[in-house]
């Protein structure tokens, strides 16, 4: 059986690095590259962490690209500085030089080239804003035909958003951060015919990072990936952390753990609700992950991260 072609576009936060760790353990996936979008991170640190992680996991054949797109509403510095902390994790700094290549072209150009050259349609796994995807579509609209589907951690449908007044005094709190960063990019992707599978806050709210899960991870910290994941979660825990990007990425491997529901939606791009994805009667059809077997999901993570690295 041929492997599932996946191009990963993340934005450098703790959860994005954990999602990268998970994606690299999937036997049926062929990762075509990793693009880092400069959103929930500081970009040089996030690129370093991504490349160091790929080296650590002996996946240094996978190219990394720096997206140079810009969002409208920057993420808070408090969130973004996690990328600098991860860049200094001892586990990721045991080598003097990096093997994983950083490609010379921009991330958006790399996305265009990779899709154009792919032998069959590619799944885009996106765990940050949709700006790099929207920009690549603007650069070459023909790539739409090479995108099999987009699995996106973003948006919120029927519960409160996570853009707080403290960081966005003009917002009404109905949006999720990745959508709020650049709502116009979301709208651009909504205009395509590409199948969209969303992992929204509606489902991620049901999967907090629990003390019990962290204890289970600690028990198997003799495995390097569990040790590294434990460090990441220790850094994340003061922020009331949920499985966002990791949950979305798990869908690529274990979709049977999820139930999925179809919605018709529209994107609000201006005003107090910008970034809101509103459920309407006649709108753009999307699929959204609706529920997850949490126990099986935790078991899956422990299994994927409970293995030795192949040298
Ligand atoms: Ca992210």
């Amino acid at each position: 059986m041929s492997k599932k072609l996946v191009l990963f576009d993340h934005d450098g936060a703790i959860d994005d690095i954990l999602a990268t760790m998970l994606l690299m353990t999937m036997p049926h996936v062929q990762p075509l590259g990793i693009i880092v979008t400069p959103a929930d991170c500081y970009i040089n640190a996030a690129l370093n962490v991504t490349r160091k992680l790929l080296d650590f996991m002996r996946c240094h054949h996978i190219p990394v690209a720096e997206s140079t797109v810009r969002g409208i509403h920057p993420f808070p510095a408090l969130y973004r500085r996690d990328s600098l902390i991860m860049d200094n994790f001892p586990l990721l700094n045991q080598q003097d030089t990096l093997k994983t290549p950083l490609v010379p072209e921009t991330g958006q150009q790399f996305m265009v080239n990779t899709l154009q050259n792919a032998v069959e349609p590619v799944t885009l796994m996106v765990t940050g804003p949709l700006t790099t995807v929207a920009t690549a579509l603007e650069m070459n609209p023909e790539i739409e035909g090479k995108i099999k589907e987009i699995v996106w951690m973003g948006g919120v449908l029927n519960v409160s958003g996570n853009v707080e007044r403290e960081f966005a005094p003009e917002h009404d709190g109905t949006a999720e951060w990745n959508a709020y960063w650049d709502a116009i990019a979301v709208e651009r992707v909504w205009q395509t015919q590409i199948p969209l599978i969303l992992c929204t806050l509606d489902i991620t709210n049901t999967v907090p990072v629990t003390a019990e899960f962290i204890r289970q991870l600690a028990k198997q910290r003799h495995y390097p990936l569990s040790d590294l994941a434990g460090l990441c979660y220790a850094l994340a825990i003061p922020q009331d952390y949920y499985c966002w990007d990791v949950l979305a990425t798990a869908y690529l491997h274990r979709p049977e753990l999820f139930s999925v529901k179809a919605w018709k939606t529209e994107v609000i791009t201006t005003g107090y609700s910008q970034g809101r994805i509103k459920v309407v009667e006649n709108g753009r059809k999307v699929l959204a992950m609706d529920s997850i077997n949490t126990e099986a999901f935790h078991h899956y993570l422990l299994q994927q991260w409970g293995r030795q690295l192949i040298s």
Side-chain angles (χ1 to χ4, degrees), residues 11 16 127-128 245:
D11 72 334
D16 299 273
T127 58
D245 302 351

Side-chain angles (χ1 to χ4, degrees), residues 10-13 15-16 40 127-128 153 178 245:
H10 75 62
D11 72 334
D15 212 22
D16 299 273
D40 195 2
T127 58
M153 192 283 121
N178 286 338
D245 302 351

Side-chain angles (χ1 to χ4, degrees), residues 16-276:
D16 299 273
I17 299 308
L18 287 160
T20 309
M21 259 170 73
L22 186 61
L23 186 70
M24 293 303 137
T25 65
M26 295 181 186
H28 73 302
V29 162
Q30 185 183 338
L32 299 177
I34 300 182
I35 297 161
V36 185
T37 293
D40 195 2
C41 65
Y42 289 101
I43 188 63
N44 291 312
L47 289 165
N48 281 342
V49 177
T50 304
R51 295 168 70 199
K52 286 174 184 178
L53 175 63
L54 292 178
D55 278 7
F56 182 71
M57 295 185 74
R58 327 285 198 253
C59 297
H60 46 260
H61 56 285
I62 297 169
V64 172
E66 176 187 354
S67 168
T68 58
V69 301
R70 293 289 178 262
I72 298 162
H73 301 109
F75 273 84
L78 179 68
Y79 302 172
R80 296 170 68 192
R81 52 177 279 203
D82 289 338
S83 52
L84 294 156
I85 299 172
M86 289 188 290
D87 192 20
N88 287 284
F89 276 169
L91 271 177
L92 295 180
N93 282 282
Q94 301 173 82
Q95 284 173 307
D96 293 328
T97 51
L98 284 172
K99 287 187 194 161
T100 301
L102 180 67
V103 300
E105 64 266 37
T106 63
Q108 55 271 37
Q109 185 65 57
F110 178 74
M111 185 175 278
V112 170
N113 297 349
T114 304
L115 291 169
Q116 276 183 321
N117 296 333
V119 290
E120 56 188 80
V122 173
T123 295
L124 289 187
M125 181 71 232
V126 184
T127 58
L130 288 170
T131 314
T132 302
V133 180
T135 306
L137 284 164
E138 283 300 311
M139 289 164 69
N140 187 340
E142 285 176 14
I143 60 171
E144 183 177 334
K146 297 297 285 287
I147 302 172
K148 185 180 172 199
E149 61 191 351
I150 299 176
V151 180
W152 182 43
M153 192 283 121
V156 56
L157 298 174
N158 298 302
V159 297
S160 300
N162 63 356
V163 176
E164 291 160 4
R165 267 187 187 275
E166 180 188 356
F167 300 118
E170 269 213 335
H171 199 269
D172 65 7
T174 55
E176 177 278 331
W177 258 106
N178 286 338
Y180 178 66
W181 198 72
D182 184 359
I184 291 162
V186 181
E187 170 61 17
R188 175 66 184 85
V189 171
W190 252 238
Q191 284 167 13
T192 67
Q193 305 296 314
I194 303 165
L196 298 175
I197 304 158
L198 311 186
C199 180
T200 65
L201 297 184
D202 305 67
I203 181 169
T204 60
N205 282 353
T206 69
V207 193
V209 176
T210 61
E212 173 55 25
F213 175 65
I214 286 173
R215 264 196 303 276
Q216 287 177 329
L217 206 49
K219 279 186 194 150
Q220 59 178 49
R221 67 166 289 225
H222 50 282
Y223 293 116
L225 293 180
S226 291
D227 203 11
L228 184 56
L231 266 178
C232 288
Y233 282 122
L235 172 60
I237 212 80
Q239 298 167 26
D240 197 14
Y241 221 74
Y242 292 81
C243 290
W244 291 290
D245 302 351
V246 172
L247 184 69
T249 306
Y251 182 83
L252 295 183
H253 195 187
R254 299 296 300 276
E256 75 278 6
L257 300 181
F258 296 78
S259 70
V260 171
K261 198 169 169 182
W263 299 90
K264 296 207 168 142
T265 58
E266 67 183 27
V267 181
I268 313 285
T269 56
T270 56
Y272 297 112
S273 308
Q274 53 189 292
R276 179 178 177 190

